Amino acid sequence: MTTGNSDTIAAIATARGNAGIGIIRLSGPAVCDIQRQLFAGKLEPRKATLVKIYDQQQRLIDRVLLIFFPAPNSFTGEDVLEVQGHGGMVLQDMLLEHILSLGCRQARAGEFSERAFLNGKIDLSQAEAIADLIEGQTRSAVRGAMRSLQGDFSKEIYALLEGLIHLRMLAEACLDFPDEEIDELPVKEVEQRLLSVQEKIKPLLRFARNGSLLRDGFHLVLVGRPNAGKSSLLNVLTKNDTAIVSEQPGTTRDIIRDRIDLDGIVIDISDTAGLRQASDTIESEGIRRTKNELESADRVLLIIDEADYSEASRNALMSYLEHDIPVTIIRNKIDLQNREPEIKYRERWVEILLSIKSGAGLDLLYRHLKEITSSDTLSEGVYTARRRHVEALQKADVSLQDAGRHISASVQLELFAEDCRRAQNSLNEITGEFGSEDLLGKIFSSFCIGK
Ligand SMILES: Nc1nc2c(ncn2[C@@H]2O[C@H](COP(=O)(O)OP(=O)(O)OP(=O)(O)O)[C@@H](O)[C@H]2O)c(=O)[nH]1
Ligand SMILES: [Mg+2]
């Protein structure tokens, strides 16, 4: 698949700012023609050539290095030209303006990667990895993105797809050619193959969850009654005076966001307005925003003044939260109650008794945060992944469980084949391929039915 008749695009590929070097990249069918207008000679592929670039009035714009990558051996799969000039912002703009006047247009965001995908140079998850590599906030995130870009993540997905395609092949051959002399469906073999696909999907799902954590970070939202110590906790965690702390209840009115890096995991922390019957419209708007913020939370830290702690006060606060959101209850200000720091693992939440002011028990909180944001698989062998990858893998997993039911209890071939097809479609969403024709091709080439 190629983009064929696409037009030619150009853009400044390096960051905006004054730098030693700035690179403009061009891709598309008119690249050779534009190159000849910039430099009359012929460029040797992938070799740098020093060239002076003049504008229409024959004024020298810059001395640049031109590098030509002929199709299909380029990033986009099309003819690509790199123009490496000096990095000044104004200079780069002048150079780009001149290049655009020679017969190409400004590229849209991500258009080079999009072309690489459309031309089959990379799959969708690799295209996403390029963005992640550039935007990576921590070293682990960058390393994860590089692994994905290398195709490690895609390879695992393709291996799963192989397994699934084989399963469908077995099932659909029995369905489509019931009169042919094909043996009965080998149920035991199918069950085993299904199991092996299911076993592969589990660790991948774990990797993808961790990968999505690496990339998107972990969103922690601090909620509680006014004066419970939410802003104090934000300041302690970020080691910053980000939020105003005061003994006056209702100090925080708006969401205050900050970010920490906890062993390579980005944690986005939101401090919120205290939850209570609002006394004015600003406060009630603050509370509305708190509820909004909770929608994207990965976990809530519910902060309660230990002096006010009771089952009733806890339940009243819990009623603000969605049922399935993970919660850690921070019973703060134990310094005033003469209590020792402690962590308790309850069925529906975790409880930590501590004092933000004295620091007693903060070690328990840090350990807990590390526990919930990381796992043993996180440091090595992880890819960057997105929530959509996690969701796609989850969907595939559910379809495979259905498939298991439709083969083990009593053989319901049609349903089984449909479950496998759905699982395959979910995985295809990750790589961006939709391969029903591929599947047919594969079935007929590996099955000698024709006889
Ligand atoms: N003794 C004691 N005081 C604390 C502790 N943590 C916070 N405080 C005090 O409690 C008061 C309220 O703290 P904040 O962090 O502003 O509370 P908040 O939950 O952000 O309050 P609002 O923004 O009004 O909702 C301040 O005077 C803090 O110094 C603690 O562990 N012990
Ligand atoms: Mg506050």
Side-chain angles (χ1 to χ4, degrees), residues 225-232 245-252 274 332-333 335-336 355-357:
R225 297 273 179 228
N227 240 6
K230 301 175 294 298
S231 301
S232 308
V245 165
S246 94
E247 67 265 4
Q248 198 178 317
T251 304
T252 309
N332 185 31
K333 309 195 188 181
D335 54 304
L336 300 177
S355 164
I356 298 166
K357 197 164 208 166

Side-chain angles (χ1 to χ4, degrees), residues 147-186:
R147 278 190 209 103
S148 291
L149 181 56
Q150 292 295 310
D152 293 6
F153 181 57
S154 312
K155 251 184 252 154
E156 307 260 3
I157 301 289
Y158 290 128
L160 282 175
L161 280 167
E162 277 290 304
L164 271 176
I165 288 169
H166 201 96
L167 279 171
R168 284 189 64 187
M169 198 170 78
L170 289 169
E172 291 190 13
C174 285
L175 281 172
D176 291 349
F177 306 98
D179 301 333
E180 300 274 333
E181 284 178 14
I182 293 176
D183 291 340
E184 291 262 304
L185 181 77

Side-chain angles (χ1 to χ4, degrees), residues 200-314:
K200 278 191 203 127
I201 216 168
K202 291 267 182 279
L204 203 56
L205 192 52
R206 213 171 53 237
F207 279 141
R209 273 209 190 93
N210 289 338
S212 135
L213 258 185
L214 270 183
R215 175 182 177 272
D216 300 324
F218 188 88
H219 188 195
L220 198 62
V221 180
L222 314 182
V223 296
R225 297 273 179 228
N227 240 6
K230 301 175 294 298
S231 301
S232 308
L233 185 56
L234 176 77
N235 290 351
V236 163
L237 290 174
T238 58
K239 301 186 171 70
N240 235 326
D241 269 341
T242 315
I244 300 174
V245 165
S246 94
E247 67 265 4
Q248 198 178 317
T251 304
T252 309
R253 298 297 188 96
D254 213 341
I255 311 282
I256 302 173
R257 298 187 184 86
D258 211 334
R259 164 172 284 197
I260 61 171
D261 175 350
L262 193 70
D263 290 350
I265 296 293
V266 173
I267 303 186
D268 285 308
I269 309 175
S270 307
D271 176 23
T272 63
L275 295 168
R276 65 171 170 186
Q277 271 319 80
S279 55
D280 61 42
T281 47
I282 300 176
E283 194 169 2
S284 58
E285 173 59 17
I287 294 171
R288 195 192 62 76
R289 289 182 187 201
T290 301
K291 290 184 180 161
N292 231 359
E293 195 73 2
L294 283 168
E295 283 176 13
S296 64
D298 289 308
R299 193 172 192 98
V300 170
L301 293 192
L302 189 59
I303 299 151
I304 307 180
D305 187 331
E306 180 59 11
D308 304 331
Y309 188 79
S310 68
E311 199 180 318
S313 66
R314 184 190 68 219

